[in-house]
Amino acid sequence: QVLLVESGGGLVQAGGSLRLSCVGSGRTFSKNAMGWFRQTTGMERELVSAISLTGLSTHYADSAKGRFTISRDRAKNTVYLQMNSLKPEDTAVYFCAASDLGTLTIAASDYQYWGQGTQVTVSS
């Protein structure tokens, strides 16, 4: 069974930091582009950040630029999202996803594997 499991979410005050992790199992994701998405109730899932299979190319939503950093450890089959200077509007369920495309992609439809999500709540 192919799984992506997120961890690291929680409750944090505005200005604080969280580091999300996503571990893959059941297969290697070392040849996949990876992404972090988030979703709030009633809203569409939106891309927060993405990274190519090599890790050399990254993409950030405007809302994440300068505050979030995506990285990956291919040997550990893990992708991370370091989130700093968190704001209440960052509150959402955060999902990890893997795309069979090796090149970076920002379209949710290009991602075939999804985790179940981890809740991030930022209090004001």
Side-chain angles (χ1 to χ4, degrees), residues 3-104:
L3 290 175
L4 292 171
V5 180
E6 303 96 337
S7 63
L11 174 64
V12 64
Q13 288 188 331
S17 298
L18 287 173
R19 188 194 195 203
L20 305 184
S21 299
C22 171
V23 180
S25 64
R27 57 160 282 178
T28 178
F29 289 100
S30 64
K31 296 184 179 180
N32 293 75
M34 304 292 292
W36 284 98
F37 292 75
R38 67 186 183 188
Q39 187 172 24
T40 55
T41 302
M43 301 295 288
E44 289 189 3
R45 197 167 294 189
E46 64 173 356
L47 177 73
V48 176
S49 183
I51 189 167
S52 64
L53 72 91
T54 62
L56 296 178
S57 296
T58 59
H59 172 85
Y60 296 93
D62 287 344
S63 59
K65 287 179 182 176
R67 299 188 300 128
F68 295 1
T69 303
I70 191 170
S71 62
R72 66 187 301 166
D73 186 331
R74 296 170 69 192
K76 294 183 177 179
N77 221 20
T78 301
V79 64
Y80 305 96
L81 185 68
Q82 177 67 43
M83 304 188 295
N84 299 328
S85 302
L86 283 162
K87 304 175 181 180
E89 51 263 44
D90 294 319
T91 296
V93 178
Y94 283 70
F95 298 88
C96 170
S99 170
D100 282 335
L101 297 176
T103 54
L104 188 151

Side-chain angles (χ1 to χ4, degrees), residues 37 45-47 97-99 105-114:
F37 292 75
R45 197 167 294 189
E46 64 173 356
L47 177 73
S99 170
T105 178
I106 64 173
S109 58
D110 285 337
Y111 289 82
Q112 292 76 34
Y113 309 96
W114 293 83

